[in-house]
Every structure is written in structure tokens, then in C-alpha cells.
Amino acid sequence: MSRKFFEKPELSQSDRVPPGQYLAKGFPVLSYGETPQVSTDQWLFKVWGLVENKSFDWSDLMNLPQQEFTADFHCVTRWSKLDVTWRGVKITDLFAALKIDPKATHVLQHCYGGYTTNLSLEDFARPENFLAHTLNGEPLPADHGGPLRSVVPHLYAWKSAKWINGIEFLDHDEAGFWERNGYHMRGEPWAEQRYGGR
Ligand SMILES: Nc1nc2c(c(=O)[nH]1)N[C@H]1C(S)=C(S)[C@@H](COP(=O)(O)O)O[C@H]1N2
Ligand SMILES: [Mo]
């Protein structure tokens, strides 16, 4: 990739940039396939599997506690972006509105367009994870995952599902789209868990 899109991290930021990553200028878009166009009034979000099945429409989502988040973003293709500002719902606040079966150990996030990505419940239920509908004070643009995406800052960004429309609760780990295609099952950037392995 061209030099002008990347820069070496400032010293003060370098301890926040995982090994093998460079800071991106701007906020690149990385999507596999077409960008789904979903309006908030058509939008529907479901939970199923080892959970009491439930659907949320946009107003149900807005009725959950809302807050601001600042998070770093690390793509496995080696660009990182620090301090992205979002607004949305904490995963743990969503979970408080669900009845999750204690046998559940993993989730598979599902998206409009068919993308999926898996996580252990432990990785997904961390307090810094959230569902975002707002980026830099504006409605989340479709190419960045609007109307709603997940953000899981401690793992590579392929675990942050754009256009998310469901969470399947499972009693085992099940590979999502990139994981079936050779990406690591967990994807922890500080350990450079890029490809292969769990
Ligand atoms: N539904 C869906 N979510 C996705 C992707 C995708 O192709 N489809 N790409 C992933 C990858 S590899 C990255 S790096 C981030 C990119 O998010 P951005 O386009 O907002 O930068 O979204 C992740 N979530
Ligand atoms: Mo990525």
C-alpha cells in the first residue's frame, strides 16, 4: 500500500499500536462483498440458540442504555486507528435484557449480507465492547456498518461485525466467515493471532 496512507506511530502512541501494525490516516473501509442498505425502520435484530429467543426493532435498541465510547481499531491487514469515537449500547447492557442459558460458551455474530464471526462469550461480554449506531457524532455510515455494528476493541477488527442483525448463542466455538477461510479463531492483535490456530 502507498506510503501516504500510513504513518509510523508517534512515540506516545506507539505503546498502543500492536506489533506489525501501522496507523492509518482517515478511517479505511474494509468489506467483503456489497454494502447492505438497511433503513432503521426495516432493521430487525434477533438472538437465538442457547438464549430465550427475542427480537429487537430500532426503538427497542434505542430504549437500551446509550453511551459514548472511544476505542482503538486494529485490522489484520495491518492498519490501526486510535481513539475512534462512537455512540451505542454496551454488550453487557444488551445481555442484561436477555435470558442466556448458562450452557452457552460462545457466540456467532450474524449480519445482513451473510457475514458471520465467532467469539467466546468471555471475549464478547467484556465491558469495553459495544454495538455502535453513531460514528463521530453522525449516524453510522452504511460502508462502516450502519445502521448497527459491533465493536470489539481488544481483538482484530474482523471480529467487529458490520450490519449486525443477530447473535447465536452456542455451547461450542463455531468458525465464522474469515475463520473458515484461515483466519485465527480468536484474533488477538498483541499476540499477532492473524491466521490459523485458536
Ligand atoms: N459484515 C461485515 N463485517 C465486517 C467485515 C465485512 O466484510 N462484513 N469486515 C471486517 C474487517 S476485516 C474489518 S477490518 C472491519 C472494517 O471496518 P470498517 O470498514 O468500518 O473500517 O470490519 C469487519 N466487519
Ligand atoms: Mo480487517
Side-chain angles (χ1 to χ4, degrees):
M1 297 217 194
S2 145
R3 265 188 98 83
K4 73 175 196 257
F5 292 110
F6 294 94
E7 51 189 18
K8 280 256 159 75
E10 298 288 323
L11 269 184
S12 59
Q13 298 181 321
S14 61
D15 59 348
R16 292 170 54 196
V17 180
Q21 297 291 115
Y22 291 86
L23 286 180
K25 293 179 179 169
F27 191 179
V29 166
L30 214 117
S31 307
Y32 184 86
E34 299 286 297
T35 293
Q37 303 292 334
V38 183
S39 66
T40 53
D41 40 282
Q42 305 167 294
W43 184 87
L44 204 60
F45 182 92
K46 295 180 180 171
V47 297
W48 71 94
L50 293 171
V51 65
E52 193 175 282
N53 290 12
K54 193 166 171 176
S55 359
F56 294 79
D57 65 15
W58 196 255
S59 68
D60 298 328
L61 178 78
M62 291 302 137
N63 283 332
L64 293 172
Q66 307 287 321
Q67 62 189 78
E68 308 285 331
F69 301 89
T70 300
D72 297 350
F73 206 79
H74 309 295
C75 173
V76 71
T77 65
R78 299 189 181 274
W79 57 269
S80 288
K81 184 167 177 58
L82 304 182
D83 295 326
V84 187
T85 56
W86 311 88
R87 188 171 170 78
V89 175
K90 268 174 92 156
I91 297 294
T92 52
D93 285 336
L94 170 72
F95 278 14
L98 305 179
K99 292 202 179 79
I100 302 170
D101 186 323
K103 289 196 286 293
T105 57
H106 290 79
V107 295
L108 197 55
Q109 303 178 77
H110 291 259
C111 305
Y112 287 103
Y115 184 90
T116 53
T117 186
N118 57 298
L119 288 164
S120 70
L121 212 46
E122 194 184 350
D123 274 327
F124 197 49
R126 283 169 59 135
E128 72 269 27
N129 299 344
F130 56 95
L131 299 171
H133 52 67
T134 301
L135 170 63
N136 299 324
E138 302 288 336
L140 179 59
D143 56 0
H144 282 300
L148 191 78
R149 78 174 306 160
S150 65
V151 180
V152 178
H154 75 291
L155 299 178
Y156 282 122
W158 87 78
K159 298 289 186 182
S160 295
K162 304 201 282 189
W163 319 297
I164 189 170
N165 69 355
I167 302 171
E168 182 178 2
F169 289 80
L170 299 162
D171 62 4
H172 60 277
D173 200 3
E174 196 168 303
F177 174 75
W178 282 122
E179 295 83 4
R180 284 197 302 275
N181 286 284
Y183 282 32
H184 197 279
M185 287 294 268
R186 179 155 188 257
E188 209 282 307
W190 296 94
E192 290 206 70
Q193 295 174 338
R194 297 174 188 274
Y195 310 106
R198 31 187 81 233

